[in-house]
Amino acid sequence: MSYQDFYQQSIAHPEVFWAKEAQRIDWHKPFEQVVDYSRPPFASWFVGGETNLCHNAVDRWVVKQGEKTALIAISTETPDGSPSEKTWTFRELQQEVERTAAIMIALGVGKGDCVLIYMPMIAEAMFAMLACARIGAIHSVVFGGFAANSLASRIDDAKPKLIFSADAGSRMGKVVPYKPLLDEAIRISKNKPQHVLMVDRKLAAFEHMSGRDVDYAELRAKHMEASVPVTWLKSNDISYILYTSGTTGTPKGVQRDVGGYAVALASSMETIFCGKPGETYFSTSDIGWVVGHSYIVYGPLMAGMATVMYEGVPIRPDASIWWYIVEKYQVTRMFSAPTAVRVLKKQPPELLKKHDLSSLKALYLAGEPLDEPTSTWIAAELGVPIIDNYWQTETGWPILSVAKGIEDMPTRVGSPGVPMPGYRLKLLNEHTGTRCDNNEKGVLVIEGPLPPGCLQTVFNNDERFIKSYWSNFSTEQVYSTFDWGIRDDDGYYFILGRTDDVINVAGHRLGTREIEESISSHPNVSEVAVVGVEDKLKGQVAVAFVIPKDASTTSTPQDKKQFEKEIFAVVDRQLGAVARPSRVYAVSLLPKTRSGKLLRRSIQALCEGRDPGDLTTIEDPNSLTQIKDALES
Ligand code: ATP
Ligand code: MG
């Protein structure tokens, strides 16, 4: 089949299309209606059907291939960085999940209860997610290591009955104690969990609150022989809550269903990721993000693949660690983010040649714009297709990519690709709400109903769901992605940044992303952030913060001036003087979210002397000090 036929069928006959895709998973009870869209923008998929994510990810494969590997947990967060590795077959994974499920039940957790998972990247975190899915509890995974106040706000929103945690995580070989953060979060939150289930890794001693805190190893020993049958759930029951990255404001609690999500993952694993049972999938993300939910835990397992859970950074013990994993476990499909590839690009190139990478068939990248130099470099190094894919926490799976499992379509550098099935994409003029022509920039929106797998609503807040996502155009009710896009004559889309990243310089509207791309083409630029800053004369001006590749070239004030001049020249030449930033500051660190996204709104706030806003997801607060220092210099 051609991609065109595949996609067109999903748009012209969605009910036929998704009824067929739904056959990829097991249903305990068949659905009666493919989609109910009688109450837009709320869509219910596979109404009347009953299924279970854990059954489709684990039990189903125990029957077909119980002795094949399901989970490979690797940690390089060891004293010397040498990998510690352990694997589980589907059968063993099922046993562990049943044990964890039995513990949860013993602690009073039942269907519809929320379990908050605040864990490092260890196997127990996956057991916990799958155990929740098994018994119909709603998981809310919070990125391990988030500070107490970020954690507290999520506890207050999700109201978990149980919190599943560990004594500590580790980063670059340094122990990061979790328990004190968790205790503090519970102290300041309004909703106290009944129990805290602790995995004690013996990394950091912690205070034990008797009555509340319980020990995982102890309880596991009691439930070694546990047999916990799958609880069949309605397709529209809630599977989990997950908060967005907080790049543009306060994170939103995305709520997801069971059946639609299962179908979307089973479908995308084959049509986009070409996953085959028995092969190995390696996503470098974290279970705290949507990529971790969809393509570390549920997607690969539902496809019968072994999945890698990696605790560690890409450069310790050295930058060959990912490739060691690829060779040893014969990884076929790998998923990462441009930000991680940029980190590798700064490392000695021979480390990429140390291992046999012949098993690898493709590298998928998502999360932020994939710039041409990064994409070209890694494609040449690995010799496999680099497949950009664009989506959001809200959608749960790619909106744009190339469906290599359907047709071997070429990728186009700079474009994440073409619409994936069921996504009725449109580009609308931001002022008039009318449709854009090809090659005309507009806001990327999706016509309802959103395809299976996308958010049902904002958790406990239908009003926010409608108000923030579906009310941006007076002309029609469409879902706004809040990203700028453009479509070329062949139907490929390009993402041009976020709608709130546009600046207005003396009446000219400029995307900060376009200026960043131009600055990136200077050979001594490693990373750059451009923000719009208030200006009495021009309305706004662009200000750039640049990490030079070679920091020694910007050590003196004269060097800095020279560097700034060179950047000005690049922008003048490529975009015109109107886009030239008013200032270029050299820094060594940029503020990013823990998922590697630039926090432009915080930089902008500092430039305008305002409070930097919601910082619950910032990676390293020192980066803000750097911005402040640069501004004062
Ligand atoms: P918040 O919504 O809380 O501000 P966020 O949008 O960063 O945070 P995510 O859902 O993790 O939270 O990120 C989705 C966004 O990431 C997209 O809307 C888009 O801006 C960006 N993005 C993801 N993948 C790509 C890609 N392949 N190319 C360009 N941009 C991408
Ligand atoms: Mg977003």
Side-chain angles (χ1 to χ4, degrees):
M1 204 198 309
S2 71
Y3 156 76
Q4 271 309 332
D5 291 347
F6 177 71
Y7 177 69
Q8 280 315 327
Q9 215 214 355
S10 78
I11 298 304
H13 308 286
E15 310 230 345
V16 179
F17 180 89
W18 289 112
K20 198 167 144 229
E21 289 300 306
Q23 301 316 311
R24 294 180 187 277
I25 68 159
D26 281 355
W27 292 91
H28 174 66
K29 186 166 164 244
F31 47 89
E32 288 145 19
Q33 191 183 4
V34 177
V35 60
D36 175 3
Y37 200 51
S38 57
R39 205 168 55 96
F42 300 93
S44 302
W45 285 94
F46 310 115
V47 184
E50 285 182 11
T51 184
N52 183 289
L53 281 164
C54 181
H55 167 84
N56 280 287
V58 183
D59 297 49
R60 185 181 187 210
W61 297 99
V62 173
V63 180
K64 294 185 186 172
Q65 49 175 47
E67 310 319 315
K68 287 230 165 95
T69 303
L71 170 61
I72 303 160
I74 303 167
S75 178
T76 53
E77 292 298 335
T78 51
D80 63 350
S82 59
S84 135
E85 303 164 50
K86 196 168 172 206
T87 65
W88 287 259
T89 64
F90 278 94
R91 190 178 309 283
E92 289 164 341
L93 178 61
Q94 184 188 42
Q95 262 165 12
E96 286 301 345
V97 171
E98 288 190 73
R99 285 166 192 152
T100 308
I103 297 173
M104 287 182 180
I105 292 170
L107 293 174
V109 176
K111 184 176 168 231
D113 290 333
C114 177
V115 175
L116 189 140
I117 299 173
Y118 179 66
M119 293 280 278
M121 282 289 285
I122 57 177
E124 287 82 357
M126 185 179 288
F127 306 157
M129 290 170 76
L130 290 166
C132 286
R134 189 169 193 87
I135 63 173
I138 301 166
H139 61 64
S140 172
V141 183
V142 176
F143 180 77
F146 264 175
N149 58 334
S150 339
L151 185 52
S153 68
R154 287 158 179 76
I155 294 174
D156 281 338
D157 196 50
K159 303 185 180 53
K161 202 164 185 181
L162 172 73
I163 296 183
F164 195 75
S165 191
D167 57 337
S170 176
R171 195 175 153 77
M172 292 289 272
K174 242 182 73 193
V175 170
V176 182
Y178 283 11
K179 187 63 171 22
L181 300 175
L182 178 57
D183 285 341
E184 172 63 8
I186 296 176
R187 196 187 62 77
I188 60 181
S189 66
K190 291 184 257 341
N191 296 279
K192 313 290 179 203
Q194 284 173 13
H195 289 287
V196 173
L197 179 55
M198 291 294 299
V199 174
D200 189 357
R201 309 175 76 189
K202 307 266 188 282
L203 291 177
F206 60 89
E207 235 174 279
H208 181 96
M209 195 196 249
S210 78
R212 189 195 73 182
D213 299 354
V214 287
D215 182 64
Y216 175 78
E218 213 171 277
L219 290 175
R220 178 176 174 273
K222 279 198 195 148
H223 293 281
M224 283 308 276
E225 306 310 322
S227 153
V228 179
V230 158
T231 300
W232 297 108
L233 303 173
K234 289 203 192 77
S235 179
N236 306 113
D237 281 339
I238 306 172
S239 61
Y240 68 73
I241 313 163
L242 177 64
Y243 295 86
T244 59
S245 303
T247 311
T248 53
T250 312
K252 298 162 280 267
V254 165
Q255 175 187 316
R256 190 114 47 223
D257 73 350
V258 176
Y261 187 51
V263 171
L265 292 185
S267 171
S268 59
M269 276 307 297
E270 202 159 322
T271 57
I272 303 173
F273 297 101
C274 313
K276 302 250 174 336
E279 293 185 354
T280 305
Y281 196 95
F282 175 22
S283 164
T284 68
S285 181
D286 187 284
I287 51 154
W289 314 127
V290 69
V291 176
H293 283 61
S294 294
Y295 300 112
I296 294 178
V297 181
Y298 294 112
L301 293 175
M302 281 179 55
M305 300 178 83
T307 187
V308 176
M309 243 184 127
Y310 174 59
E311 180 188 41
V313 295
I315 52 168
R316 185 173 184 271
D318 67 34
S320 70
I321 181 65
W322 282 2
W323 318 118
Y324 160 85
I325 294 171
V326 170
E327 177 179 16
K328 178 155 179 191
Y329 297 99
Q330 295 291 291
V331 171
T332 57
R333 308 277 156 182
M334 198 169 158
F335 194 128
S336 192
T339 181
V341 175
R342 276 181 222 119
V343 168
L344 289 183
K345 201 174 160 198
K346 290 181 206 156
Q347 299 291 318
E350 60 276 11
L351 292 171
L352 245 157
K353 301 277 173 248
K354 242 173 97 176
H355 295 279
D356 175 9
L357 303 180
S358 55
S359 63
L360 193 65
K361 297 202 179 80
L363 172 65
Y364 295 81
L365 296 175
E368 44 166 337
L370 175 60
D371 55 288
E372 178 162 1
T374 304
S375 165
T376 318
W377 173 78
I378 192 71
E381 291 295 323
L382 296 178
V384 298
I386 304 303
I387 302 177
D388 191 356
N389 54 115
Y390 160 84
W391 45 298
Q392 307 182 309
T393 308
E394 290 86 343
T395 66
W397 61 287
I399 302 170
L400 294 171
S401 190
V402 283
K404 288 270 186 196
I406 297 294
E407 183 193 337
D408 192 12
M409 245 179 118
T411 56
R412 199 158 282 187
V413 177
S415 161
V418 293
M420 290 297 97
Y423 287 104
R424 298 165 190 270
L425 298 186
K426 282 191 199 171
L427 292 163
L428 297 184
N429 179 290
E430 60 171 318
H431 303 296
T432 60
T434 51
R435 272 180 182 235
C436 298
D437 289 329
N438 285 352
N439 307 306
E440 191 190 323
K441 176 173 163 179
V443 180
L444 184 64
V445 302
I446 313 173
E447 232 179 279
L450 296 178
C454 296
L455 79 169
Q456 293 177 296
T457 184
V458 172
F459 184 62
N460 272 336
N461 205 339
D462 286 351
E463 201 187 311
R464 188 170 180 203
F465 176 62
I466 298 176
K467 248 194 162 146
S468 22
Y469 295 107
W470 295 89
S471 311
N472 293 281
F473 292 93
S474 55
T475 40
E476 54 188 317
Q477 191 184 42
V478 286
Y479 171 91
S480 177
T481 63
F482 297 102
D483 288 312
W484 295 109
I486 199 163
R487 182 183 51 235
D488 71 12
D489 293 328
D490 301 321
Y492 283 81
Y493 283 73
F494 294 77
I495 300 297
L496 306 173
R498 296 171 187 253
T499 49
D500 49 5
D501 286 342
V502 164
I503 58 174
N504 195 327
V505 182
H508 299 275
R509 292 173 59 75
L510 304 164
T512 50
R513 194 54 218 121
E514 295 159 65
I515 306 175
E516 285 170 6
E517 261 182 36
S518 167
I519 294 176
S520 293
S521 68
H522 184 285
N524 191 24
V525 170
S526 165
E527 281 189 66
V528 51
V530 170
V531 296
V533 177
E534 243 174 35
D535 182 89
K536 285 213 179 71
L537 219 57
K538 298 179 175 171
Q540 269 184 317
V541 290
V543 173
F545 294 85
V546 179
I547 304 181
K549 273 191 191 140
D550 181 357
S552 69
T553 57
T554 54
S555 45
T556 68
Q558 290 91 319
D559 289 348
K560 287 200 173 107
K561 271 277 155 242
Q562 177 57 28
F563 186 56
E564 183 174 51
K565 256 183 158 166
E566 286 174 27
I567 302 279
F568 287 166
V570 170
V571 177
D572 284 2
R573 196 168 60 241
Q574 295 181 355
L575 300 177
V578 62
R580 181 204 289 181
S582 68
R583 285 298 313 268
V584 176
Y585 298 100
V587 291
S588 65
L589 201 62
L590 286 169
K592 286 187 179 173
T593 65
R594 298 268 190 152
S595 49
K597 293 162 195 265
L598 268 176
L599 276 166
R600 290 192 191 78
R601 64 176 165 86
S602 300
I603 305 178
Q604 183 187 40
L606 290 180
C607 291
E608 293 181 347
R610 288 181 287 116
D611 181 85
D614 186 288
L615 293 174
T616 51
T617 63
I618 196 165
E619 164 81 22
D620 182 352
N622 284 328
S623 53
L624 292 178
T625 319
Q626 284 226 6
I627 301 286
K628 281 187 210 140
D629 291 350
L631 289 168
E632 280 161 16
S633 69

